[in-house]
Amino acid sequence: MTATATAPNPLREGLDTQRISDPCTIVFFGASGDLFKRMLLPSIYELRQRGTLPTNFALVGFARSQYDDDGFRAYCKEQLDQFAYGAKPDGAMWDDFAKCIRYVTADFGDTSHFEALKRILEENDRDLKTGGNRLFYLSTPPSVFPGIIDQLQKAGLDPKSNPKGWTRIVVEKPFGTDLASARALQTEVEKVFDEGQVYRIDHYLGKEPVQDIMALRFANVIFEPIWNRNYVQSVQITAAETLGVEGRGGYYDSAGALRDMIQNHVMNLLALVAMEPPATADADAIRNEKFKVFASIQPPALADVPKMAVRGQYDAGLIDGKPVPSYRTEPDVNPKSDTETYAAVKLFVENWRWAGVPFYLRSGKRLARKVSEIAVTFKNIPHRFYGEKTDEIDPNVLVIKIQPDEGVSLRFEAKVPGQKSHIRTVSMDFNYGTGFGVQSPPAYERLIADAMRGDQTLFTRWDAVQRAWEIVTPIQQSWQNATPTFPNYGAGSQGPHGATQLFDDWRTL
Ligand code: NDP
């Protein structure tokens, strides 16, 4: 399948240049960190090159590492030389961009450093005409989030002290490590910011194929009539990686697959698959429907957890033919760690549309293949009169491919050419790259642009975050109460054997 040649093609024509934000300064707390250099800075620079940043724009880095403004500009150039995914920093474009970069070397507990930030923001408003609009991006370890929010208020950088323009905050994941810590963080956030000023990042929501789930369901008439318990047998959502912890062992060992992937990214995919059509494209109309999905999932009783959740941890094995070590021997990981690197969960959305349809979610590291996808398996045909007796007639499966392939594939049965009436499974495929002629922009680019524009559609609302934690909390508790037999799957495998007891029809990785 390809996009119709005559149809307008927003991807081919570049991002929608009408949707440029107001003038603003974006402040990155944690600007010397990994996420900033690999994702955030390259996204901003690409937005500049696409003409999607406002003309009156400024960037301020804020972290503990020592830089002056010129030193930080040189650091940014160095990182862009390595990580920019469009044009590299050069010539007038870079010179112009570099002029709007400033830096504050900060002790995060020292209010005077936040006051120094305030002076820079006021200078930007005066010299660069940034209009008093401020976007604070928290890209530090989550333990520092409450302290930053508190200091913003002490230094008079909170929204109420800024009547001239808007003040918004972007909060990186994870939003809490369990229900109690998420609630504690929210208490700090809402002391200073209203919900309409808070942008909780789940970068999966910025991926084009994830945004396309709603378009597929609600901009076509053919899927919605069968998108329910009458026709759907099960839904499988997979987020599998071949990578291990990649230098982030310290963080991962305190997180694990359930917290790191299932509670946020995978649950958000589930919401998009299961939600009712919103009345409008308004951010809250969409987020209301997503929340209703989570409200329809009952947190399991502790005693039921072993029947609906399986965990695993990888042992040494082979990835792409190369030996890789076990999780417990990765740097910064406790050699006796019981942290799961694989989690599979079976949930039911208990409402009129989905009653009785199992949703199987799984995510893991060091698995056989990198793949994120949603597979909707339909029921079998009610009466068979076609095909040879030996032919398998498989159910139809619609697969929404998120990464590394991006697209949609429909598996259906077809007659094999010839005298006999043989039936075989074939597939119809749509691929973003070939369909639209360009690759999708990275998620962070879209999300940063949306936060600057004040569009919260692709950000997670507090009620949904809280409900997702409520759903996974009994699983966390049950797992904490029992010592697992780890490691229980080899690197490069399909995952732990127990996952097949939960569901015997996982798609092969
Ligand atoms: P890093 O550890 O690489 O960077 C942390 C940044 O925060 C540094 O700039 C550091 O400053 C600053 N910082 C301030 N206070 C502290 C403190 N008390 N302890 C440690 N660092 C401090 O983290 P990442 O960039 O990897 O992650 C940032 C956020 O983004 C986290 O919330 C993470 O969960 C999230 N995230 C990261 C992803 C990634 O791929 N890296 C992916 C998804 C989310 P300095 O070094 O100058 O002291």
Side-chain angles (χ1 to χ4, degrees):
M1 278 193 279
T2 53
T4 316
T6 52
N9 183 337
L11 276 181
R12 202 188 291 278
E13 287 154 18
L15 287 181
D16 185 353
T17 48
Q18 300 308 305
R19 300 182 68 218
I20 293 177
S21 125
D22 305 326
C24 66
T25 299
I26 178 163
V27 181
F28 287 101
F29 295 96
S32 56
D34 176 70
L35 187 69
F36 178 78
K37 71 178 181 197
R38 285 193 307 107
M39 300 285 178
L40 306 179
L41 178 65
S43 296
I44 293 274
Y45 195 60
E46 189 61 20
L47 286 170
R48 163 59 86 212
Q49 302 201 57
R50 288 181 197 271
T52 316
L53 281 185
T55 314
N56 303 102
F57 170 82
L59 183 161
V60 183
F62 190 103
R64 297 178 302 188
S65 301
Q66 298 265 344
Y67 294 105
D68 58 15
D69 289 339
D70 280 339
F72 186 62
R73 287 172 189 141
Y75 171 80
C76 288
K77 185 166 187 308
E78 223 173 89
Q79 302 313 318
L80 285 171
D81 278 331
Q82 193 178 347
F83 297 110
Y85 48 88
K88 297 293 178 192
D90 215 353
M93 174 72 79
W94 166 252
D95 292 343
D96 197 41
F97 184 72
K99 277 186 215 149
C100 58
I101 298 179
R102 305 279 302 268
Y103 184 80
V104 181
T105 302
D107 171 347
F108 282 56
D110 187 336
T111 309
S112 71
H113 295 156
F114 287 77
E115 287 163 352
L117 171 64
K118 188 177 182 195
R119 285 193 291 280
I120 290 180
L121 295 176
E122 286 165 353
E123 284 166 26
N124 286 346
D125 290 343
R126 188 190 62 216
D127 302 338
L128 301 174
K129 307 282 178 280
T130 43
N133 298 320
R134 285 119 196 225
L135 182 65
F136 296 125
Y137 195 120
L138 304 191
S139 178
T140 63
S143 55
V144 191
F145 294 167
I148 295 174
I149 293 167
D150 183 46
Q151 291 288 7
L152 286 174
Q153 186 166 39
K154 285 191 178 134
L157 286 167
D158 56 306
K160 289 191 188 74
S161 307
N162 179 26
K164 267 201 325 183
W166 47 255
T167 304
R168 300 181 188 134
I169 190 160
V170 178
V171 187
E172 255 305 332
K173 75 162 231 195
F175 199 92
T177 53
D178 55 17
L179 183 57
S181 60
R183 282 183 177 149
L185 175 56
Q186 176 60 15
T187 302
E188 297 307 312
V189 169
E190 64 192 24
K191 278 183 195 162
V192 181
F193 294 92
D194 294 338
E195 184 62 29
Q197 295 159 334
V198 183
Y199 292 71
R200 294 178 197 80
I201 286 256
D202 180 335
H203 72 268
Y204 257 57
L205 296 180
K207 291 179 187 284
E208 285 291 336
V210 174
Q211 293 171 53
D212 192 44
I213 298 170
M214 277 181 56
L216 181 86
R217 291 190 54 200
F218 305 135
N220 295 291
V221 79
I222 58 172
F223 300 114
E224 213 36 35
I226 54 169
W227 207 262
N228 56 52
R229 66 188 301 275
N230 297 322
Y231 293 94
V232 175
Q233 180 68 35
S234 68
V235 178
Q236 284 184 51
I237 306 179
T238 300
E241 297 175 76
T242 51
L243 293 177
V245 289
E246 308 305 306
R248 300 184 76 217
Y251 157 73
Y252 195 84
D253 208 33
S254 64
L258 189 72
R259 286 186 173 112
D260 190 50
M261 295 296 292
I262 302 276
Q263 185 273 343
N264 39 69
H265 304 319
V266 181
M267 291 283 288
N268 271 314
L269 297 180
L270 185 159
L272 287 164
V273 174
M275 68 192 268
E276 294 301 316
T280 66
D282 174 69
D284 269 330
I286 293 170
R287 298 191 306 170
N288 287 344
E289 296 307 332
K290 288 174 65 185
F291 172 70
K292 282 191 225 163
V293 172
F294 291 164
S296 308
I297 299 173
Q298 291 312 310
L302 269 183
D304 291 336
V305 169
K307 285 182 274 173
M308 48 79 67
V310 169
R311 57 179 158 164
Q313 187 191 77
Y314 64 81
D315 202 347
L318 295 176
I319 296 282
D320 295 332
K322 296 198 183 96
V324 294
S326 69
Y327 175 71
R328 286 177 175 174
T329 58
E330 296 271 17
D332 302 326
V333 169
N334 176 351
K336 293 185 177 156
S337 174
D338 284 342
T339 299
E340 80 284 355
T341 59
Y342 177 101
V345 179
K346 175 183 177 181
L347 296 174
F348 288 95
V349 180
E350 294 173 30
N351 63 15
W352 196 273
R353 185 190 282 263
W354 293 113
V357 179
F359 284 73
Y360 297 102
L361 321 179
R362 67 176 161 167
S363 180
K365 290 192 176 292
R366 290 284 193 229
L367 292 168
R369 190 163 63 98
K370 174 186 167 79
V371 58
S372 291
E373 63 170 34
I374 299 164
V376 179
T377 302
F378 293 90
K379 293 196 167 169
N380 274 315
I381 51 170
H383 170 65
R384 172 183 174 147
F385 65 91
Y386 211 81
E388 300 292 315
K389 278 213 172 87
T390 51
D391 288 345
E392 290 262 333
I393 297 200
D394 290 323
N396 299 135
V397 182
L398 184 81
V399 183
I400 300 167
K401 300 175 187 176
I402 297 163
Q403 66 183 22
D405 298 335
E406 299 186 332
V408 179
S409 158
L410 178 65
R411 192 175 85 176
F412 59 102
E413 300 301 289
K415 181 184 169 301
V416 180
Q419 302 290 329
K420 289 187 169 178
S421 58
H422 269 307
I423 298 293
R424 195 171 300 160
T425 304
V426 293
S427 91
M428 203 154 58
D429 295 303
F430 158 70
N431 175 289
Y432 269 88
T434 49
F436 286 98
V438 288
Q439 286 307 313
S440 310
Y444 274 103
E445 198 182 307
R446 169 66 193 257
L447 294 170
I448 293 172
D450 278 2
M452 286 194 288
R453 283 192 287 256
D455 183 345
Q456 290 184 299
T457 311
L458 300 179
F459 296 85
T460 318
R461 211 168 58 185
W462 164 241
D463 54 359
V465 173
Q466 175 169 239
R467 183 64 185 171
W469 277 122
E470 284 169 0
I471 294 165
V472 302
T473 292
I475 306 174
Q476 282 181 314
Q477 285 172 348
S478 167
W479 287 357
Q480 273 159 16
N481 293 346
T483 307
T485 313
F486 280 171
N488 61 351
Y489 71 96
S493 73
Q494 296 290 313
H497 179 64
T500 52
Q501 286 159 0
L502 189 70
F503 182 43
D504 60 8
D505 203 20
W506 289 113
R507 286 164 57 79
T508 306
L509 296 170

